[in-house]
Amino acid sequence: MNSTRSGRKFKRTLAALGTCLLAMPAMAQEAPAEISNGDTAWILMSTAMVILMTAPGLALFYGGLVNQRNVLSTLMHSFFAMCLISVQWVLWGYSFSFGSGIGGIFGGFDFLLFNGVGQEAHGSVPHLAFAAFQGAFAVITLALITGAVVERFTFKAYILFALLWTTLIYDPLCYWVWGGGWIGQLGALDFAGGTVVHISSGASALVACLVIGRRSAYPSRILPPHSVPLTVIGTSLLWFGWFGFNAGSALEAGGLAALAFVVTHTAAAMAGMTWAFMEWIFDGRPTVLGAATGVVAGLVAITPAAGFVTVPSSIVIGLVAGVLCYYGVYKLKPMLGYDDSLDVVGVHGLGGTWGAIATGIFATTSVNAAGADGLLYGNPAQLVPQIISIAAAWGLAGIGTLIILKVVGVIVPLRVKPEEESVGCDLTLHGETAYNYLAPGMSTSDQG
């Protein structure tokens, strides 16, 4: 009797063991993703670097280019974008961009107020880290547009425009490309924001400067940049932060991040050198401001391609960006007559468009198995989704910006009054001046 019971017990034990062994593959598949401390550290650092790109990076880059009566109002565009859009991102922006999705068009409402966004794994990093990293992109994209309309855009209009534009243009486009929407499903490649960030800001900048109109003194009496050193410092901070922008988009600390880091640096260096030589050839001398602008053009162009192309390809991408954006700034803008104050269209619009096309030409799975081969690697069909994504970004941003500005213009004035423009936006909009060399009532003898 005891032997019979023992036999039955042994059989049940074997059956249970067999069941566990059979279940192990399924259990392994269902196991939650593990958070990597190294990847998390890299994404948090990259997020801080992208935030630094907006302020002080972009703020100083733009601030140095305007006259000294509009320095603070220009800085305020970037600085306040960091406040306003960071809150918008938590309230609804992240959900609209990376939610579960509605018809490939709209992200949805599941992450409102960061509901469900916590310390759990999103890939190999905490969900909070991923969401914060993406939020920094939304901030700088909005800030980029302001360069086209500095020295004449009212601050009330800017606040309304910022909220509407980020909600109705940036968030849907981000979802289309990165959140699981139709552009991503189409197979378009955008590693770090050629369409989402640069084409959208460039297209919107073009419409904004056309709707708001030229500066009253344009083009005959526009003052030169009040501080090229500030702009060069801003460029250097942008260059540094762009490593987080592009290499951080690998979402891990590994070989792909290293590739994005190196091609970003190489393309920027090549474009800066190209722009300087273009000036030397056509204007007789290279300028510091030209080299700085060229560097930004190269950074813009390599952004969508950063995780998909080889280092030699990045040199070509940077070279073409330097030539193309130079002509956009010095030839196309005067020919068409629009007043894009700080050349957002010529650098970001054209640079981002070239970068998206270049991705379809130079992409290769030899450096990134998750991507696709481009034209030069036997897949000319990759240019089709790239061109569709470019058209979609230009169309959504351009038409959407036109509608938004018309609505905002009904609520508040879009541009300052002529007398306010003459005095400068620093005093008329913010009651401050950038450089108080003498305090009120003091003479030079009082300074000691």
Side-chain angles (χ1 to χ4, degrees), residues 172-190:
L173 184 58
C174 181
Y175 175 74
W176 291 359
V177 177
W178 293 330
W182 70 273
I183 291 180
Q185 294 173 18
L186 197 64
L189 302 176
D190 186 356

Side-chain angles (χ1 to χ4, degrees), residues 276-303:
F277 279 124
M278 292 286 287
E279 288 185 322
W280 211 340
I281 293 168
F282 293 106
D283 302 324
R285 64 190 71 183
T287 67
V288 176
L289 184 57
T293 306
V295 164
V296 175
L299 292 167
V300 168
I302 197 62
T303 292

Side-chain angles (χ1 to χ4, degrees), residues 94-108 111 122 130 134 171-188 196:
Y94 179 67
S95 187
F96 289 3
S97 302
F98 290 95
S100 55
I102 300 174
I105 301 297
F106 174 68
F111 294 137
H122 184 94
F130 173 80
Q134 296 296 338
D171 295 344
L173 184 58
C174 181
Y175 175 74
W176 291 359
V177 177
W178 293 330
W182 70 273
I183 291 180
Q185 294 173 18
L186 197 64
V196 179

Side-chain angles (χ1 to χ4, degrees), residues 263 266-275 294 297-299 301-302 312-324 354:
V263 299
T266 306
M270 188 67 204
M273 186 167 58
T274 301
W275 193 297
L299 292 167
I302 197 62
S313 294
S314 71
I315 295 176
V316 180
I317 292 172
L319 188 151
V320 176
V323 174
L324 180 66
W354 159 240

